[in-house]
Amino acid sequence: MTAELVTFGETMIRLSPPEGERIETAQSLEFRTAGAESNVAVAASRLGCSAAWLSKLPDSPLGRRVTTELRTHGVEPYVRWDDDARQGAYYIEQGRSPRPTNVIYDRADAAVTTARPDELAVEAVEDAAVFYTSGITPALSETLRETTGELLQTATEAGTTTAFDLNYRSKLWSPSDARDACESLFPEVDVLVAAERDIRTVLGLDGDASTLASELAADFGFETVVVTRGEDGALARHDGTVAEQPVFETDTVDAIGTGDAFVGAFLSRLIAGESVETALAYGAATAALKRTIHGDLAVVTPDEVERVLRGGDAGIDR
Ligand SMILES: O=C(O)C(=O)C[C@H](O)[C@H](O)COP(=O)(O)O
């Protein structure tokens, strides 16, 4: 079946001690899966968009754990299985003020780092409405930098809209390396999503969020630029106009995955033919719901998102 949204990247095993426990001393670790591009596919799928995820995984219980979880949420994994490769993982110790959240990656030499286009379901990219990947993927290896560029080009040539989240991770590379790699990919990107702080740190731009979006659109010819601003909401520049979206208040249980939930919901609405304004609102509502849920995944339903959009409060539904 042709998927409307196709994403490409690494999905890791996510290991986290119980709240208030340190990685150094914890006796147990919660076991989940997480990865920016599959998180986006899950959010979109849960909101009614058909979604597929391309990657390379070890042919092992750890690799199959990833595909099993994605299928649970309706995402079709198109995976190249590798007998000998590693499964990437990360440890996350959730912070509580004044102790920050800490992520420790264990993803060097993961299976995906050697993925080449001829090992991947490139035809799914050609047939999709939107192809999505993020700045994490080219950060993982030189091969992935090339593969990311080739898949974006394949998408462009096939008339598939391309979407890219800058997703800067300082534990993977320096701002200048990220800038070089991402700017070389930008000519093939139609929809750019970027956190305001990443635009300043990585791309070295200054000014308010609206100015950043306009400069990016002018410099790189993006069709749409979405700037995410944490508690200050998000804005999108499209067709020469800027739309703003505040955040929905939330009681945060787990903030990790908020950005990906936003992007997945946003893309699902664009694919459904809705306006950028509507897509932004869906993104913000889905992101708020994600923050109330443990793990990276936006395990939500369209009704729940609609309810947030209508301003429904929490309460007890019985
Ligand atoms: O692959 C990586 O390096 C990741 O960081 C996976 C992350 O768990 C998500 O991408 C969450 O990112 P947010 O949605 O911005 O919270």
Side-chain angles (χ1 to χ4, degrees):
M1 198 193 86
T2 305
E4 295 165 300
L5 173 66
V6 171
T7 74
F8 169 59
E10 179 180 21
T11 299
M12 298 169 287
I13 299 294
R14 166 184 146 147
L15 300 163
S16 52
E19 205 185 315
E21 295 282 354
R22 308 303 309 271
I23 287 175
E24 268 191 57
T25 49
Q27 305 289 311
S28 62
L29 293 170
E30 196 180 76
F31 184 89
R32 297 179 184 273
T33 67
E37 295 81 6
S38 58
N39 293 348
V40 166
V42 166
S45 166
R46 300 220 34 130
L47 296 175
C49 175
S50 62
W53 170 78
L54 264 54
S55 198
K56 194 167 166 181
L57 287 172
D59 191 0
S60 72
L62 292 175
R64 290 192 290 279
R65 164 68 193 238
V66 171
T67 53
T68 300
E69 177 126 32
L70 295 183
R71 284 205 180 92
T72 301
H73 300 289
V75 174
E76 184 61 36
Y78 289 122
V79 169
R80 167 73 174 222
W81 298 100
D82 184 330
D83 285 340
D84 303 318
R86 293 193 70 222
Q87 170 62 46
Y90 80 93
Y91 298 82
I92 175 163
E93 185 182 86
Q94 295 281 5
R96 273 281 179 267
S97 182
R99 181 172 53 82
T101 293
N102 188 27
V103 167
I104 301 173
Y105 290 127
D106 178 18
R107 63 197 307 184
D109 303 322
V112 72
T113 58
T114 62
R116 297 199 171 275
D118 63 5
E119 298 176 316
L120 300 166
V122 174
E123 57 291 351
V125 174
E126 291 169 334
D127 293 345
V130 172
F131 172 64
Y132 169 83
T133 189
S134 88
I136 293 169
T137 309
L140 298 177
S141 69
E142 192 51 41
T143 302
L144 276 184
R145 185 176 163 170
E146 285 166 23
T147 301
T148 305
E150 286 179 41
L151 291 183
L152 285 167
Q153 202 179 340
T154 299
T156 304
E157 282 165 11
T160 299
T161 297
T162 55
F164 186 86
D165 187 333
L166 193 56
N167 255 349
Y168 177 59
R169 299 288 185 265
S170 64
K171 290 184 177 176
L172 296 179
W173 54 358
S174 67
S176 66
D177 285 349
R179 180 180 183 159
D180 285 350
C182 293
E183 286 190 354
S184 75
L185 300 172
F186 285 170
E188 307 292 345
V189 172
D190 300 315
V191 179
L192 179 77
V193 182
E196 184 175 352
R197 63 169 187 279
D198 291 353
I199 298 173
R200 296 182 196 286
T201 312
V202 178
L203 304 178
L205 296 182
D206 273 330
D208 62 20
S210 174
T211 307
L212 296 176
S214 300
E215 277 191 30
L216 285 168
D219 289 353
F220 298 100
F222 301 117
E223 205 176 287
T224 307
V225 177
V226 179
V227 180
T228 57
R229 311 179 61 214
E231 285 173 11
D232 293 327
L235 65 79
R237 190 179 191 286
H238 175 82
D239 270 351
T241 59
V242 172
E244 299 208 33
Q245 175 64 48
V247 291
F248 291 93
E249 266 190 40
T250 175
D251 192 359
T252 299
V253 164
D254 184 345
I256 305 290
T258 305
D260 298 333
F262 176 94
V263 174
F266 178 82
L267 294 178
S268 79
R269 291 303 92 197
L270 284 194
I271 289 169
E274 312 246 13
S275 67
V276 167
E277 286 80 359
T278 301
L280 274 182
Y282 259 79
T286 307
L289 285 169
K290 160 62 207 75
R291 295 177 78 90
T292 67
I293 301 164
H294 284 293
D296 269 51
L297 303 180
V299 186
V300 300
T301 66
D303 283 351
E304 288 169 337
V305 174
E306 299 282 352
R307 187 183 160 110
V308 173
L309 288 168
R310 288 196 304 270
D313 58 11
I316 299 179
D317 195 2
R318 65 180 163 197

